[in-house]
Amino acid sequence: MRTQIGIVGAGPAGLVLSHLLHLSGIESVVLEARSRDYCEQRIRAGVLEQGTVDLLNETGVGERMRQQGLVHYGIELRFAGRGHRIDFKELTGGKGVTIYAQHEVIKDLINARLAAQGQILFEVEDVSVHGFDGPHPTIRFQEDGEQQELGCDFIAGCDGFHGVCRPAIDPATLTVYERDCPFAWLGILAEAPPSSQELIYAYHHRGFALLSMRSPQISRLYLQCNPEEDLEQWPDDRIWRELQTRLAAENDWKLIEGPVIQKGVTGMRSFVVEPMQSGKLFLAGDAAHIVPPTGAKGLNLAVADVRVLARALAEFYASGNMRLLNEYSEKCLRRVWKVQRFSWWMTSMLHRFQGANPFDERRQLAELDYVTSSRAAAQTLAENYVGLPME
Ligand code: APR
Ligand code: PHB
């Protein structure tokens, strides 16, 4: 087998890259370990930055997002029993975000690629990447028990944090930056109409809570928990009691409850590998970096990476010029580290840290008071949340 770009992973990074390459007339093959159904049903965050929304619309895959997505122009920060709205529209000159589940984005991209006769090989096994430090990179894998080899000009490692591409790079050439969070999120999907029009990020002495949503009928809610939390210790009524406590507000606001249809614990970490490339292998998305979910940046950062990579590959095939490809990592990392900063800032402002003393709590409350009373401070949150301008 042979193609121009071999892509490992059919998550947001791999599928957006394959779609953008197709629009530039560049051929790719996507190799995915899981089934199509698994990829289309994997529950993940659902906040799309303005730039991501614009890219999906401009490249012809935004129809269902426009129909089903919920456009939001603000969020609420809730602390000391009171809510404070951050007005994105006013603070960013009209930008907002769209609440549209990641697995819906995946469905739209898979449909678009297959409709364009794109090649996505699902349920492949034993993927390995080779020769990317030379002129002829290859990807080996098993398909239906048959050993296959895909020759390509370049390889895109879009296989997430636990993939095989990053580990294939000589560790002596990489620098890893990481910090584990001493907490996790217990998340639920519930058949309950969202109790707020917009997202609520709540600081509480018992721990952080987040009210989000998927549709006018489905709520998505999270509460801070221990990294090793045992879900068996969290029956639905205990989850609702804790959410009611942490999201309580002075007025008669009530959290509407309903049947829990999915629950899980999400670990939280910050991770960056530098550089994001080695020879003809380019890492994108979670394969290169992980952010805590507080800033809702994971998918958006993956899209930003592959937007840079697709442009660099288009330049190469149009002119033979390798400059943008050689600058890929440096360009992506400028955004990656700004997003890491924002995600860590949001996380440290809103979560209770083990061992925190009364000083820490008062300092966090002062930070929240400052962000919700200073236009300048609120604007920094708003411009990062809706997404910094794409370079
Ligand atoms: N071979 C083939 N496919 C693989 C392999 C492998 N060895 N390892 C992982 N994959 C696939 C996974 O099954 C997954 O479909 O690569 C894909 C990686 O997708 P993501 O983990 O979603 O990573 P990315 O595309 O970078 O998107 C990042 O997705 O998971 C969320 O929170 C994350 O929002 C972030 C976004
Ligand atoms: C979600 O809806 O899943 C979500 C929203 C905002 C976040 C994280 C997750 O910061």
Side-chain angles (χ1 to χ4, degrees):
M1 292 173 74
R2 175 145 189 84
T3 188
Q4 289 175 295
I5 312 301
I7 300 174
V8 185
L15 291 170
V16 170
L17 177 61
S18 181
H19 177 57
L20 294 178
L21 292 173
H22 166 68
L23 297 179
S24 296
I26 300 168
E27 188 190 270
S28 64
V29 173
V30 180
L31 300 173
E32 168 56 50
R34 297 287 190 161
S35 70
R36 176 174 180 179
D37 277 354
Y38 181 93
C39 293
E40 293 184 345
Q41 290 164 28
R42 187 167 37 191
I43 301 294
R44 287 285 190 280
V47 177
L48 305 185
E49 291 177 352
Q50 187 71 55
T52 302
V53 169
D54 295 345
L55 181 141
L56 295 175
N57 281 326
E58 287 158 10
T59 62
V61 289
E63 185 180 355
R64 284 177 70 240
M65 175 186 67
R66 292 192 299 274
Q67 288 165 355
Q68 298 177 21
L70 305 171
V71 180
H72 286 188
Y73 289 106
I75 58 169
E76 177 183 318
L77 297 182
R78 187 172 287 186
F79 56 98
R82 292 183 58 208
H84 307 262
R85 185 169 186 265
I86 303 292
D87 184 343
F88 295 157
K89 197 169 225 175
E90 197 277 322
L91 293 164
T92 66
K95 292 181 183 176
V97 294
T98 296
I99 309 299
Y100 186 62
Q102 177 170 312
H103 65 279
E104 299 299 344
V105 176
I106 295 295
K107 282 180 198 167
D108 297 339
L109 288 162
I110 289 174
N111 285 332
R113 292 302 300 122
L114 297 182
Q117 283 74 52
Q119 280 192 277
I120 307 175
L121 306 184
F122 291 101
E123 298 183 89
V124 299
E125 297 176 308
D126 301 330
V127 172
S128 58
V129 292
H130 306 272
F132 50 84
D133 285 330
H136 304 296
T138 60
I139 306 175
R140 295 180 195 149
F141 61 98
Q142 296 249 346
E143 185 183 28
D144 301 329
E146 291 285 309
Q147 185 63 39
Q148 303 285 352
E149 182 166 283
L150 175 69
C152 37
D153 299 335
F154 300 95
I155 299 174
C158 302
D159 50 346
F161 185 72
H162 300 290
V164 296
C165 290
R166 186 180 69 248
I169 298 174
D170 177 1
T173 66
L174 297 178
T175 305
V176 169
Y177 301 87
E178 60 186 331
R179 174 189 283 271
D180 283 343
C181 292
F183 36 72
W185 281 9
L186 191 161
I188 63 169
L189 274 179
E191 288 174 352
S195 308
S196 168
Q197 291 289 321
E198 296 174 329
L199 274 58
I200 300 175
Y201 289 76
Y203 174 88
H204 190 276
H205 69 269
R206 290 177 64 85
F208 170 75
L210 169 60
L211 179 151
S212 183
M213 69 278 298
R214 288 291 175 270
S215 74
Q217 297 77 34
I218 301 290
S219 288
R220 177 67 163 162
L221 296 135
Y222 299 93
L223 55 84
Q224 175 185 344
C225 65
N226 294 321
E228 309 307 323
E229 201 68 53
D230 176 4
L231 269 182
E232 294 302 311
Q233 304 304 316
W234 285 90
D236 297 356
D237 60 346
R238 180 186 175 196
I239 294 174
W240 286 117
R241 275 201 314 278
E242 195 62 34
L243 286 167
Q244 294 286 4
T245 301
R246 297 186 190 186
L247 287 163
E250 279 173 344
N251 54 27
D252 59 358
W253 185 87
K254 277 297 283 178
L255 176 62
I256 302 165
E257 302 182 9
V260 175
I261 54 179
Q262 191 263 350
K263 72 170 84 167
V265 175
T266 307
M268 296 175 72
R269 63 156 57 97
S270 302
F271 175 93
V272 179
V273 71
E274 292 189 10
M276 291 172 51
Q277 64 192 95
S278 177
K280 292 176 178 278
L281 171 60
F282 296 83
L283 302 178
D286 277 16
H289 40 69
I290 296 284
V291 284
T294 323
K297 291 300 177 192
L299 179 152
N300 296 292
L301 207 43
V303 170
D305 287 348
V306 296
R307 187 173 168 278
V308 174
L309 184 53
R311 286 189 170 180
L313 289 166
E315 172 69 18
F316 169 74
Y317 283 109
S319 68
N321 187 326
M322 291 280 292
R323 181 175 63 83
L324 294 183
L325 283 171
N326 292 337
E327 293 173 357
Y328 166 76
S329 178
E330 182 189 345
K331 188 165 191 175
C332 288
L333 286 168
R334 279 199 294 273
R335 187 182 190 87
V336 166
W337 279 111
K338 288 175 188 166
V339 169
Q340 288 285 359
R341 179 212 68 83
F342 172 68
S343 301
W344 183 253
W345 173 71
M346 284 282 279
T347 301
S348 57
M349 177 170 69
L350 288 160
H351 289 73
R352 293 283 294 144
F353 286 71
Q354 284 162 339
N357 66 22
F359 173 85
D360 299 307
E361 184 169 341
R362 299 294 288 165
R363 176 187 50 76
Q364 286 176 304
L365 287 167
E367 179 101 47
L368 287 160
D369 183 22
Y370 175 54
V371 169
T372 53
S373 59
S374 154
R375 189 181 193 284
Q379 196 163 37
T380 66
L381 190 158
E383 71 172 359
N384 281 278
Y385 198 97
V386 301
L388 296 173
M390 300 267 199
E391 282 191 33

